[in-house]
Amino acid sequence: MYNRLLPGRKAYTFEFLKGVEEFIQFACLQDKYLNEGVIRCPCKLCKNENHLTPDVVNVHIHQKGFTPNYWEWTSHGEEVCHVHDNDDNETYMDVSDSSSSHQQCYDHDDRHQDIVYDAAGLNREQHCPQNQEEPPNMEANQFYKMLNSAQQPLWPGCKNTTELSASITMLGLKSKHNMSHACFDDVMKFMKESSHPENIIPSNFRETKKLVAGLGLSKIKIDCCIDGCMLYYKDDINLKECKFCNGPRYKANNVHKRHSKDVPRKRLHYLPLTPRLQRLYASPRSAEHMRWHFENRREEGVLCHPSDGEAWKHFDQVYPGFASEPRNVRLGLCADGFTPFSQSATPYSCWPVIVTPYNLPPELCMMTPYMFLSLIIPGPHSPKGKIDVYLQPLIDELQQLWNDGVVTYDASKRQNFQLRAALMWTINDFPAYGMLSGWSTAGRLACPTCKENSKAFSLKHGRKTSWFDCHRQFLPDNHAFRRNKVAFYKNRIDKNEHPPILSGEQVWEKVYGIPKITDTRQCIVPGYGILHNWTKRSIFWDLPYWRHNLLRHNLDVMHIEKNVMECLLLIAFCALPEPIWKPLTELSQFFRDLCSTTLREVGLNKRTHQDHVIQTLSIFENLHGETSGKCSDRWLNDKELAAAQLHVLLNCIEVKQFIE
């Protein structure tokens, strides 16, 4: 099937013509053809996704060729490989007949049931019995076969080393000791000759690298403008110069060198996210962890995972179709810059973008194996307002995962399902937050909450922007700090209410229809399509699926607080008077709650209520009387306020025990 054309001639080989004929005859024996008259097309373009008539399939295969690596016709009823787990949690493969489980769920379906499901807008794969096993799809099947072959022992009876482990070890030694290709080939040749006669040790560097590369993940190299104006991507992949600054794409080649290769001036390395999410479901153990948020429901009011939060629950209510499949992935994105070289070297800023799935248990969410490096924005300078240019490949892939999804094999349930994903949070510091959200974090409008209602001002002499005394407006109306004229802005009290905090929908209504301006960039938001009038300093997106939460985790501070808490707990249990040990105990409980991995919603609401509501004392209960004259408001001075406080303390039952 792959020996298609004769050498140097535009004619088909006899083997190819015979193979196509045998394939069509075999595919026409399946129930899909007998019921509907169509079969899956295995050409390079269709890849077994389109159902066509045998004549059209025959033309497609002749014109476009057979899909690569389709050695077993799993989509046409041939035997497939299933994944099993032994007692040691090791994965191995065996071959079984696909007519048992696969046909019960798919081949048994008739056209009438398909019409009903299509009319209802439902997916048949989601309505098969949950315990119904299915064969892996073609991509997963190829991966399992390759993994199984790579895990073969080096020779019969070898228990400690496999072909894969030996290849990885040798490649690590080559990199560690800067071994040349010739030296590597000689070492591998010596190992092969001196080992068991039936060994399967790779002979040279090329075979070793090919074995490991087959189990690896794909990467994409995308050329970009030296100034970050654009990517040579999609429709612009063949351009030789930037559309905006007219800068050249490639470096100037040496005119004396013939057949020299074009070298781009700047290149972006992108690591696709979809294959890495599919690999999480390729292993039975990690596939079970991806359903942890759904199968380990906590009691109401207990917070120990993002799925317990209001944002997660609100998302489930807005998109019930997405939430109905617990294997769909919720993602968080983190981006920040760092200097990979020493401080004495030339300044160089490199920006990694990391994506993390939050379906996992709390103890696994922040572990290194599950923090996926999706792309590295090259330096030497910070991308600043042009960071959205470099994020185009990631946004496109997220858009595809949100709208269409991808067929994925769940090894724990042995089922294929349509995997979808949604980006729900970003985690970054304030400068990076400004780049990702599009809201400028510099200048008088730096606060994304106050926006145009900011009370920032410029210093008289330095002309620098200052946000001094802008926080008092968020205090309760009766808070003492509001009328303090000494500790804050001199001779000024604050009676203003804090600006309203807008929801994502309110922000969208506020900026919808902004006229197009210079340097406009496209922003793709799941559920809203392409926003053509979006600029880097126009809006802060606060949508449920693109929510930019300002979260920072300072582990050093948390360790210090934990140590302080442990020390205070020891003191609290000492034999101390009640006025001493009681506040220490309360302080210890505060640090314990702060460092705890589980919170309770009741406690959070109680603390919030106590922070904003002042309890009424007995002296203010059952007050009777009438005003004499016209009512007016007046702020007490410091002496009057001190006298009023003393009067309250001397006439309250609550204070009597302390006086005694």
Side-chain angles (χ1 to χ4, degrees):
M1 296 296 289
Y2 296 105
N3 186 20
R4 179 163 163 255
L5 298 176
L6 292 172
R9 297 176 58 188
K10 295 184 179 180
Y12 301 109
T13 62
F14 174 77
E15 292 82 0
F16 176 77
L17 296 175
K18 184 178 179 181
V20 173
E21 182 180 358
E22 293 178 355
F23 171 79
I24 297 295
Q25 293 177 357
F26 179 82
C28 291
L29 298 176
Q30 308 306 314
D31 293 342
K32 190 72 173 178
Y33 174 76
L34 299 177
N35 293 332
E36 303 180 20
V38 294
I39 61 176
R40 292 182 180 271
C41 180
C43 71
K44 288 185 178 180
L45 183 62
C46 296
K47 296 181 179 179
N48 294 318
E49 295 179 358
N50 300 328
H51 291 82
L52 305 173
T53 61
D55 295 337
V56 177
V57 172
N58 191 9
V59 174
H60 278 208
I61 297 177
H62 281 80
Q63 291 180 348
K64 304 166 186 177
F66 206 64
T67 183
N69 300 321
Y70 189 37
W71 304 106
E72 292 182 357
W73 301 339
T74 55
S75 298
H76 299 83
E78 196 175 7
E79 293 180 344
V80 295
C81 293
H82 285 285
V83 186
H84 297 280
D85 298 328
N86 57 18
D87 298 336
D88 299 330
N89 292 329
E90 295 180 355
T91 303
Y92 67 94
M93 312 291 298
D94 69 342
V95 179
S96 60
D97 188 5
S98 63
S99 60
S100 59
S101 61
H102 182 62
Q103 292 181 354
Q104 291 179 7
C105 191
Y106 291 97
D107 295 341
H108 186 266
D109 300 336
D110 54 34
R111 65 181 67 184
H112 301 92
Q113 294 179 353
D114 290 335
I115 294 175
V116 174
Y117 276 92
D118 293 339
L122 301 176
N123 187 355
R124 291 195 55 83
E125 296 179 0
Q126 296 180 357
H127 292 269
C128 294
Q130 294 184 357
N131 58 353
Q132 187 69 57
E133 296 184 3
E134 301 172 13
N137 57 67
M138 184 176 62
E139 295 180 358
N141 190 23
Q142 293 174 0
F143 170 74
Y144 288 135
K145 291 175 63 178
M146 191 177 300
L147 180 62
N148 187 36
S149 62
Q151 290 180 342
Q152 297 296 327
L154 284 180
W155 56 80
C158 182
K159 299 181 180 181
N160 299 326
T161 309
T162 63
E163 183 182 9
L164 178 62
S165 63
S167 302
I168 294 177
T169 302
M170 289 304 302
L171 289 176
L173 294 175
K174 180 182 183 302
S175 176
K176 180 179 179 181
H177 300 288
N178 197 18
M179 193 183 303
S180 63
H181 288 4
C183 179
F184 187 92
D185 293 344
D186 293 341
V187 172
M188 298 301 293
K189 183 178 179 181
F190 173 75
M191 291 175 58
K192 191 172 185 64
E193 293 176 352
S194 59
S195 301
H196 193 278
E198 299 181 8
N199 69 82
I200 55 174
I201 300 176
S203 302
N204 48 44
F205 175 73
R206 181 176 177 274
E207 293 183 3
T208 306
K209 189 175 180 180
K210 183 179 180 180
L211 174 66
V212 177
L215 297 174
L217 298 170
S218 59
K219 62 179 179 180
I220 302 176
K221 298 178 181 179
I222 305 175
D223 298 344
C224 50
C225 174
I226 190 67
D227 295 326
C229 302
M230 62 166 288
L231 298 180
Y232 297 96
Y233 175 65
K234 286 189 173 180
D235 296 339
D236 302 328
I237 193 172
N238 295 323
L239 296 180
K240 301 298 181 181
E241 60 182 22
C242 179
K243 296 189 300 184
F244 301 97
C245 65
N246 297 326
R249 175 178 179 177
Y250 301 107
K251 296 180 180 179
N253 293 330
N254 192 343
V255 295
H256 299 289
K257 292 183 178 180
R258 300 183 61 183
H259 307 293
S260 58
K261 186 177 180 181
D262 293 330
V263 179
R265 303 175 67 190
K266 197 172 187 179
R267 174 170 286 178
L268 173 72
H269 292 77
Y270 177 64
L271 306 176
L273 178 63
T274 302
R276 307 170 89 170
L277 296 178
Q278 290 178 314
R279 287 289 176 90
L280 290 177
Y281 287 99
S283 171
R285 285 179 292 180
S286 60
E288 292 178 356
H289 290 323
M290 293 297 289
R291 301 191 306 270
W292 184 93
H293 68 95
F294 179 80
E295 298 176 350
N296 295 269
R297 296 284 187 179
R298 274 70 57 197
E299 60 178 294
E300 191 66 25
V302 178
L303 307 177
C304 65
H305 190 267
S307 59
D308 303 324
E310 292 296 330
W312 193 295
K313 296 177 181 177
H314 174 74
F315 187 88
D316 291 346
Q317 295 175 359
V318 177
Y319 302 102
F322 184 94
S324 62
E325 175 55 79
R327 290 173 291 190
N328 288 336
V329 185
R330 322 292 179 101
L331 300 172
L333 183 143
C334 175
D336 202 357
F338 76 102
T339 302
F341 310 112
S342 62
Q343 297 294 334
S344 59
T346 304
Y348 190 96
S349 178
C350 185
W351 282 70
V353 179
I354 299 173
V355 179
T356 303
Y358 280 97
N359 294 38
L360 298 166
E363 63 272 10
L364 297 180
C365 280
M366 293 293 107
M367 292 186 65
T368 303
Y370 302 103
M371 301 179 67
F372 301 149
L373 178 65
S374 59
L375 59 90
I376 301 178
I377 301 176
H381 306 293
S382 171
K384 296 184 179 178
K386 298 180 180 179
I387 191 173
D388 57 327
V389 175
Y390 299 100
L391 291 176
Q392 288 182 46
L394 179 59
I395 294 177
D396 290 344
E397 190 172 11
L398 290 174
Q399 188 79 6
Q400 181 183 4
L401 287 172
W402 169 258
N403 292 328
D404 304 327
V406 60
V407 179
T408 304
Y409 183 72
D410 185 351
S412 61
K413 291 189 174 182
R414 299 177 186 174
Q415 292 178 348
N416 294 291
F417 71 102
Q418 197 74 11
L419 174 65
R420 296 176 59 197
L423 180 63
M424 297 190 63
W425 298 285
T426 61
I427 304 175
N428 39 260
D429 56 10
F430 206 56
Y433 158 83
M435 297 182 189
L436 290 173
S437 65
W439 184 273
S440 176
T441 54
R444 298 187 63 179
L445 302 180
C447 179
T449 302
C450 298
K451 300 180 178 67
E452 67 276 4
N453 299 320
S454 175
K455 298 173 64 176
F457 59 93
S458 300
L459 299 178
K460 182 177 180 180
H461 300 289
R463 309 305 301 171
K464 292 184 178 181
T465 303
S466 175
W467 293 269
F468 180 76
D469 201 21
C470 293
H471 55 286
R472 276 202 292 174
Q473 58 185 336
F474 293 93
L475 295 174
D477 295 337
N478 54 359
H479 201 284
F481 284 172
R482 278 184 170 269
R483 57 178 180 269
N484 192 318
K485 299 182 180 180
V486 178
F488 303 96
Y489 206 102
K490 296 297 182 182
N491 300 322
R492 177 186 292 180
I493 60 177
D494 199 320
K495 297 183 180 180
N496 299 329
E497 295 183 357
H498 64 80
I501 301 178
L502 304 180
S503 64
E505 290 76 10
Q506 292 173 332
V507 172
W508 172 253
E509 294 177 358
K510 190 173 182 180
V511 303
Y512 181 75
I514 293 179
K516 189 174 181 179
I517 63 176
T518 308
D519 193 21
T520 302
R521 310 198 187 281
Q522 292 183 350
C523 177
I524 303 178
V525 181
Y528 283 85
I530 302 179
L531 309 180
H532 293 280
N533 296 333
W534 177 77
T535 61
K536 287 306 296 177
R537 288 175 174 79
S538 61
I539 189 58
F540 157 60
W541 297 109
D542 190 20
L543 301 174
Y545 30 66
W546 191 266
R547 191 177 299 274
H548 298 271
N549 294 344
L550 190 61
L551 304 174
R552 288 184 297 177
H553 303 280
N554 194 324
L555 297 179
D556 295 335
V557 175
M558 296 297 290
H559 288 312
I560 295 174
E561 292 170 346
K562 184 177 180 181
N563 295 333
V564 173
M565 179 195 70
E566 294 174 352
C567 296
L568 293 178
L569 281 176
L570 295 176
I571 299 175
F573 285 99
C574 296
L576 296 174
E578 182 177 350
I580 298 178
W581 68 259
K582 193 170 184 179
L584 291 177
T585 304
E586 294 179 358
L587 186 61
S588 301
Q589 292 176 350
F590 169 77
F591 282 107
R592 182 193 62 185
D593 295 340
L594 185 64
C595 302
S596 176
T597 57
T598 302
L599 299 176
R600 292 191 175 271
E601 188 175 353
V602 177
L604 296 177
N605 294 335
K606 182 178 179 181
R607 292 184 181 276
T608 304
H609 180 76
Q610 292 176 351
D611 293 340
H612 292 85
V613 179
I614 297 179
Q615 296 181 355
T616 302
L617 299 176
S618 59
I619 191 175
F620 299 112
E621 295 179 355
N622 301 324
L623 293 178
H624 300 282
E626 297 180 357
T627 59
S628 59
K630 184 179 179 181
C631 297
S632 61
D633 295 336
R634 184 175 69 85
W635 293 98
L636 302 178
N637 57 36
D638 294 342
K639 291 184 178 181
E640 293 173 337
L641 181 61
Q645 292 175 346
L646 180 60
H647 176 78
V648 171
L649 293 176
L650 294 177
N651 292 275
C652 283
I653 301 177
E654 294 83 356
V655 188
K656 183 177 179 181
Q657 55 179 339
F658 294 97
I659 298 178
E660 294 177 353

